[in-house]
């Protein structure tokens, strides 16, 4: 029996989960939040206390103290730390033991993921400081998409840009891989064709063939594809030129607008799907339009990926919205009967009662609701890399 600590460091947060492996038993979970702000907090197993946390180093120290307090012998049993790292670029296509050279490479990828890789590295350095001698492993969100062929991941722009690394990378790979694997196992067919829909505040959709990612909706960055909480998803780049050249916006403004002020929040006034659903139920026109646009965009990708995969065995819904919104699942699969995608409306209301399988009887394509668990996926990968 050994313990593996999973860390997911954001710009002002440090999330953790502690697993006993290989039993995959969740021992403790928590979050240091609002790091660097006036009033930070530490949440362990759902209980929050307000405290001062100026930086990720202090957050790590507090988390270590809290776990040690609750779990005598913790330091001796802790054998590895698995880190979620968002961008692995071309360099990291599998889980990797962290060395000085690996940290340097993660740093070189800062330009490609300016919001995510810097805090990810800060988390790694804090863990090194407080858990000396414990093996550290980086698991990359882009890695699952390494199998997307050049015909798909390349942009039709001059080749020199491609050589400089300007291509599609894709994100949410840890989640898509985890959900795709579960769907594949449930189908009992290692060659299954699956479309996985990660619908959270950020959202992406991936075509999976025989366990490999073949296409995904996010790109060089996390902006394209589906309509998200605050991101626009697909948009004609001409809009950006127009805003900068003719409307006096600078490029920073446009970046903020497309990343933080678009998507559901722009269309319906809230980036929380629960609010949008409430307004939809009341018939508020903005919410009705937002929901219809949201579902239509998903359908466009389902159609495109169905064509690319040359068939489809299952759709798999996951993440905050995918797991919890019957309405989104219903609207996104409505009118796709001709593709063999037919939802059972009663099962859709309460998927748990049907082991997460909600297609209509005799429908050709299975429809699954599969809770994602990126932390467990990282724990498994860390354990496999070090011990199998
Ligand atoms: P995630 O990024 O995966 O944590 O997903 C966050 C989003 O899930 C939130 O912004 C909510 O809009 C959405 N969500 C969570 N619970 C529900 C629910 N019961 N119904 C609809 N949407 C939900």
């Amino acid at each position: 029996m050994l313990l593996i600590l999973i860390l997911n460091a954001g710009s002002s947060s440090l999330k953790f989960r502690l697993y006993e492996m290989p039993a995959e038993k969740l021992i403790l979970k928590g979050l240091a939040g609002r790091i660097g702000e006036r009033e930070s907090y530490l949440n362990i197993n759902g209980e929050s206390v307000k405290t001062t946390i100026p930086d990720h180093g202090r957050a790590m120290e507090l988390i270590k103290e809290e776990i040690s307090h609750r779990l005598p012998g913790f330091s001796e049993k802790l054998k590895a730390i698995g880190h979620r790292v968002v961008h692995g670029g071309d360099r990291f296509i599998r889980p990797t033991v962290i060395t000085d050279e690996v940290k340097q490479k993660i740093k070189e990828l800062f330009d490609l993921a300016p919001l995510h890789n810097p805090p990810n590295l800060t988390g790694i350095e804090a863990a090194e400081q407080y858990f000396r001698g414990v093996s550290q492993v980086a698991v990359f969100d882009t890695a699952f998409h390494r199998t997307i062929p050049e015909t798909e991941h390349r942009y039709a722009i001059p080749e020199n840009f491609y050589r400089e690394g300007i291509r599609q990378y894709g994100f949410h790979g840890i989640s898509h891989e985890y959900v795709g694997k579960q769907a594949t196992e449930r189908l009992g067919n290692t060659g299954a064709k699956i479309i996985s829909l990660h619908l959270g505040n950020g959202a992406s959709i991936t075509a999976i063939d025989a366990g490999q990612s073949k296409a995904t909706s996010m790109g060089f960055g996390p902006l394209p594809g589906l309509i998200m909480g605050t991101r626009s998803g697909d948009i004609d780049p001409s809009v950006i030129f127009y805003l900068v050249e003719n409307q006096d916006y600078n490029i920073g403004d446009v970046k903020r607008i497309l990343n933080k002020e678009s998507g559901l929040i722009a269309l319906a006034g809230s980036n929380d799907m629960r609010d949008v659903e409430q307004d939809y139920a009341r018939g508020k026109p903005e919410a009705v339009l937002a929901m219809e646009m949201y579902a239509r965009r998903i359908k466009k990708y389902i159609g495109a990926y169905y064509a690319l995969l040359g068939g489809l065995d299952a759709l798999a819904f996951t993440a905050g919205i995918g797991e919890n919104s019957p309405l989104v699942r219903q609207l996104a699969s409505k009118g796709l009967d001709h593709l063999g995608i037919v939802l059972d409306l009663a099962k859709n209301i309460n998927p748990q009662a049907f082991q997460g399988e909600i297609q209509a009887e005799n429908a050709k394509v299975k429809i699954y609701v599969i809770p994602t668990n990126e932390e467990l996926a990282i724990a498994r990968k860390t354990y496999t890399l070090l011990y199998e």
Side-chain angles (χ1 to χ4, degrees), residues 175-192:
S175 176
H176 286 299
E177 183 178 16
Y178 177 85
V179 167
K181 203 167 167 203
Q182 293 223 357
T184 302
E185 281 167 9
R186 297 186 75 160
L187 287 160
N189 169 12
T190 51

Side-chain angles (χ1 to χ4, degrees), residues 198-202 264 271-274 277 319-321 324-326:
H198 179 107
L199 309 177
N201 199 30
L264 292 175
N271 64 325
D272 191 320
M273 187 53 92
R274 286 164 287 205
E277 284 189 3
I321 297 169
N324 297 303
S325 174

Side-chain angles (χ1 to χ4, degrees), residues 302-324:
I302 291 175
Y305 289 174
Y306 195 114
L308 285 179
L309 287 168
L312 187 63
D313 296 302
L315 286 183
F317 285 92
T318 195
I321 297 169
E323 291 167 30
N324 297 303

Side-chain angles (χ1 to χ4, degrees), residues 16 47 56 59 62 72 80 138 213 217 229 233 279 285-286 291 308 328 344 351:
F16 78 89
E47 274 178 38
H56 285 73
L62 278 175
S213 172
S217 60
D279 287 344
E286 293 89 338
M291 286 300 283
L308 285 179
V328 166
D344 181 311

Side-chain angles (χ1 to χ4, degrees), residues 32 41-42 44 51-53 56-68 130:
Y41 64 91
L42 183 67
I44 309 267
T51 176
T52 308
I53 312 179
H56 285 73
R58 176 67 184 144
M60 193 76 264
E61 187 181 15
L62 278 175
I63 289 171
K64 183 180 178 182
E65 279 171 17
E66 278 297 323
I67 303 178
S68 303
Y130 287 96

Side-chain angles (χ1 to χ4, degrees), residues 133-145:
V134 177
S135 302
Q136 313 250 359
V137 170
V139 179
F140 297 90
D141 221 13
T142 47
F144 178 55
H145 299 302

Side-chain angles (χ1 to χ4, degrees), residues 171-223:
F171 300 91
H172 295 140
I174 298 166
S175 176
H176 286 299
E177 183 178 16
Y178 177 85
V179 167
K181 203 167 167 203
Q182 293 223 357
T184 302
E185 281 167 9
R186 297 186 75 160
L187 287 160
N189 169 12
T190 51
K193 297 176 191 300
I194 293 157
I195 294 178
S196 100
L197 301 103
H198 179 107
L199 309 177
N201 199 30
S204 67
I205 177 165
T206 295
I208 300 172
D209 196 352
Q212 295 190 336
S213 172
K214 295 295 180 190
T216 194
S217 60
M218 284 180 167
F220 177 70
L223 200 50

